[in-house]
């Protein structure tokens, strides 16, 4: 079968984009693993927070809210700080003033039972929500298939050559030919660019750890997610009174099948015990995944200025799930030569910002 566009990587970025362009192009979705979602997409902390990632990411997150609504459940996020964090709280509030994101200064002790007394500062972000990531990703893959896209797993891209306006792509599952090659390879985005002869952009992978805790007392169901304004931890109530806790680690790593380190889990528990007086009874589960950032920590959507027919859809950092619908709409418009969706500034995310 002939295809127009090959999307490399079937995580949330590639799957969402394939679903968005599927009705208007013949799409081939190439995934290196046997299971799409095996890497970052299957390992997230699964929340939607309009402030997460900062003001340059917020328009993508907010614009994704309506499409994500069927996958969201109320959570709320409480950003907490100690006296010395007052300037960070002020900067946080100033960063989102006028953005439309509701942020309310609150007494954090009123929302978190057992919060240690030095955590006196709080800002509540009521719109923060749980995301059903597995269903979102499965629905994107299903929508892509319904629109005619072909998903090929165990099909890692090995190399790609361009001749006569077409890409000849060699993969572990055989050779394919398309006009446009989309790089949605997550932590491997720079490696895929290099294999296609495009200039890499300096997208680096960083390990992030999450542990599921059983605590005494258990997490109250109505408690919001709690995030240190200084970025040293967050924890989030889960089913059965469990907590998901992260030390907000960001260890530079080569692209790999990331695994949690004992030290990062211990650090997380130590920071947690300095935040609340709860006892940690068990670390029931732990995992790690890779968050991939361009040098300025903004994602990259658009055609590479240096490589005809090569399109970037990468650098989704810690916000690739919560921004997926708007990012896919933007990338689809750029790919198909349509107008930029309302409220988004394509220049902010253009690959040309790295290539003179
Ligand atoms: C611990 C953790 C917590 C997070 N929490 C959140 C959160 O709460 N909310 C949020 O929005 N985001 C969160 N994120 C970030 C989010 O998970 C990512 O931004 C998002 O999953 C990136 O999606 P992706 O499709 O770009 O990458 P991936 O899911 O990694 O997909 C890339 C795919 O490309 C494939 N690939 C690589 N090389 C090749 C090749 N040569 N050929 C073919 N295929 C290839 C890989 O196998 C992979 O399946 C978190 C991330 C981590 C690690």
């Amino acid at each position: 079968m002939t295809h127009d566009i090959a999307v490399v990587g079937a995580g949330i970025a590639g799957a969402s984009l394939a679903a968005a362009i599927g009705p208007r192009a013949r799409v081939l979705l190439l995934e290196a693993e046997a299971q799409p979602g095996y890497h970052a997409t299957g390992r997230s902390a699964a929340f939607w927070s309009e402030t997460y990632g900062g003001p340059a990411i917020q328009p993508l997150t907010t614009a994704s809210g309506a499409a994500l609504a069927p996958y969201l459940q109320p959570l709320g996020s409480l950003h907490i700080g100690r006296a010395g964090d007052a300037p960070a709280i002020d900067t946080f509030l100033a960063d989102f003033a006028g953005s439309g994101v509701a942020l309310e200064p609150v007494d954090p002790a009123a929302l978190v039972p057992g919060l240690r007394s030095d955590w006196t500062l709080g800002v509540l972000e009521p719109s923060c929500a749980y995301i059903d990531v597995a269903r979102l990703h499965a629905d994107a893959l299903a929508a892509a298939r319904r629109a005619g896209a072909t998903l090929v797993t165990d099909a890692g891209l090995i190399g790609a050559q361009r001749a006569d306006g077409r890409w000849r792509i060699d993969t572990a599952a055989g050779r394919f030919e398309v006009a446009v090659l989309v790089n949605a390879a997550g932590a491997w985005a720079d490696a895929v660019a290099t294999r296609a002869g495009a200039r890499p952009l300096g997208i680096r992978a960083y390990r992030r750890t999450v542990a599921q805790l059983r605590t005494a007392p258990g997490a109250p169901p109505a408690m919001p997610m709690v995030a240190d304004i200084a970025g040293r931890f967050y924890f989030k109530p889960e089913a059965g009174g469990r907590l998901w806790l992260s030390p907000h680690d960001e260890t530079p790593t080569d692209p790999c099948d990331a695994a949690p380190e004992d030290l990062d889990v211990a650090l997380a528990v130590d920071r947690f015990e300095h935040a609340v007086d709860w006892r940690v009874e068990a670390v029931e589960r732990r995992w790690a995944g890779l968050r991939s950032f361009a040098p300025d920590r903004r994602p990259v959507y658009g055609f590479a200025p240096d490589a005809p027919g090569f399109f970037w859809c990468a650098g989704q950092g810690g916000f690739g799930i919560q921004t997926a619908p708007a990012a896919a709409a933007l990338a689809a418009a750029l790919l198909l030569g349509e107008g930029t969706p309302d409220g988004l500034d394509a220049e902010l995310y253009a690959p040309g910002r790295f290539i003179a």
Side-chain angles (χ1 to χ4, degrees):
M1 183 182 172
T2 311
H3 296 96
D4 309 312
I5 300 176
V7 178
V8 178
I12 196 68
S16 303
L17 181 54
I21 58 177
R24 288 165 289 166
R26 289 166 300 178
V27 178
L28 176 66
L29 187 52
L30 296 170
E31 169 53 50
E33 301 288 350
Q35 190 60 45
Y38 180 75
H39 290 290
T41 297
R43 305 178 191 209
S44 86
F47 61 80
W48 179 82
S49 161
E50 290 173 282
T51 60
Y52 203 74
I57 307 306
Q58 178 261 320
L60 288 168
T61 308
T62 300
S64 296
L68 287 176
Y71 304 93
L72 302 182
Q73 287 291 329
L75 170 63
S77 180
L78 175 66
H79 305 269
I80 61 170
R82 293 177 276 206
D85 295 319
I89 296 264
D90 290 345
T91 303
F92 178 66
L93 290 170
D95 276 352
F96 293 97
S99 68
V101 180
L103 294 173
E104 305 161 15
V106 291
D107 171 11
L111 295 171
V112 186
L115 188 69
R116 294 199 185 275
S117 57
D118 47 337
W119 296 92
T120 50
L121 305 175
V123 175
L124 185 65
E125 180 183 339
S127 62
C128 178
Y130 295 95
I131 311 175
D132 184 344
V133 178
R135 192 160 61 86
L136 175 69
H137 186 221
D139 284 358
L141 288 170
R145 275 198 211 97
R146 271 199 311 278
T150 309
L151 168 67
V152 188
T153 53
D154 294 310
L157 177 144
I158 298 161
Q161 278 83 40
R162 192 159 175 91
D164 303 324
R166 306 273 300 167
W167 288 101
R168 203 175 62 199
I169 306 172
D170 289 305
T171 78
R175 178 169 285 180
F176 301 92
E177 256 197 48
V178 291
V180 174
L181 179 55
V182 175
N183 183 2
W188 289 265
D190 266 10
V192 163
T194 303
R195 286 176 204 171
R199 204 166 110 192
L201 301 181
I203 293 178
R204 293 282 335 252
Y206 299 86
R207 190 179 64 240
R208 168 65 50 96
T209 308
V210 183
Q212 177 171 303
L213 305 184
R214 191 178 76 238
T215 56
M223 190 181 79
M225 180 165 86
V226 177
D228 174 18
I229 195 76
R232 287 158 44 88
F233 62 83
Y234 61 75
F235 52 90
K236 160 177 183 266
E238 287 291 328
R242 301 313 198 252
L243 274 180
W244 284 6
L245 167 70
S246 174
H248 226 250
D249 49 333
E250 201 162 286
T251 309
T253 312
D254 285 338
C256 65
D257 187 354
E261 300 271 337
D262 289 345
L263 187 64
D264 291 323
V265 175
L267 202 64
V269 169
D270 181 64
R271 291 176 181 174
F272 174 72
E273 289 176 340
H274 280 85
V276 288
D277 64 6
W278 310 3
R279 206 172 62 249
V280 174
E281 295 197 319
V283 175
E284 293 185 325
R285 209 154 69 82
R286 48 202 221 146
W287 67 94
L290 300 182
R291 300 153 81 247
S292 304
F293 290 97
D296 59 6
R297 296 177 77 92
R298 298 202 300 268
V300 190
Y301 301 114
F303 279 103
D306 62 313
F310 187 89
F311 188 94
W312 286 92
C313 178
Q316 286 86 351
F319 40 79
I321 315 282
Q322 63 178 34
T323 56
L330 172 62
L334 295 169
L335 252 177
L336 302 177
E338 297 165 351
T340 304
D342 286 347
L344 298 180
D345 176 1
E347 282 306 310
L348 263 185
Y349 314 115
R353 70 193 194 268
F354 300 115
I355 298 173

